[in-house]
Amino acid sequence: IAGSDKTINYDTNEYTVVIDVEDNGKGQMVAKVNGEAYDGGVVATITNHNPENTDLEVDFVKKVLNGRDMKAGEFKCKLSVKEKPEGVDAKEEWNQVGSNVAANDGAQARVEFEKLPFDVAGTYVFEVTEESGDLGGVTYSTEKHQVTVTIVNVDNALEVLSVVIDEQSDAEEIEFVNT
């Protein structure tokens, strides 16, 4: 019978074990398992697996500032989990703030986030937004982007099957542009 821990792959094999109990004619009851005399050994081995976890490098969020050079850490984006498989507890890393690396005028800078860890297969939906700051003369983006991550179990190892941005299978990055 499978347990409720979603991080474990439970053995789904079915085993038929026939136990016959007979009087051996000497006043003792003896058991035969599957037609063989039972010696107290193992009848069936049930093996459950805890699949190897995976993580996702969030390297697809970019920042562009037009009009001047960008300083490292001056812009922040928020990543937050919106949906996850039923019964899965949210991880602290699924809700985090990342900041940009430095870039020259008008150049893109990657927004750095911690890796997202996963220990259960399923579909996860995240939202990425830019946090408003207080830099004078800067217009901050109010866009909200959805990132759908699908995790699958392949041979007892979790793998990232897909990362879909804004429900577009061909989108490769999120870009926040400020002026």
Side-chain angles (χ1 to χ4, degrees), residues 15-114:
Y15 301 92
T16 301
V17 179
V18 178
I19 302 173
D20 294 314
V21 180
E22 303 172 345
D23 184 334
N24 68 359
K26 300 178 185 174
Q28 296 175 324
M29 300 300 285
V30 294
K32 288 185 177 180
V33 178
N34 295 334
E36 301 290 325
Y38 179 65
D39 62 2
V42 175
V43 174
T45 302
I46 298 172
T47 306
N48 296 323
H49 299 279
N50 192 354
E52 186 177 320
N53 297 341
T54 192
D55 53 42
L56 172 65
E57 176 96 27
V58 182
D59 58 358
F60 47 81
V61 180
K62 310 288 185 203
K63 178 75 186 135
V64 175
L65 176 63
N66 292 318
R68 69 168 177 82
D69 289 350
M70 199 180 330
K71 297 176 185 164
E74 111 182 292
F75 292 94
K76 299 189 180 337
C77 291
K78 182 177 182 180
L79 179 139
S80 53
V81 64
K82 295 299 179 188
E83 296 176 30
K84 56 188 177 46
E86 186 177 330
V88 173
D89 294 328
K91 300 195 176 308
E92 184 177 316
E93 296 89 348
W94 293 351
N95 294 290
Q96 58 176 295
V97 174
S99 63
N100 67 289
V101 294
N104 294 328
D105 184 33
Q108 292 185 1
R110 186 167 63 87
V111 176
E112 295 182 340
F113 290 96
E114 292 180 35

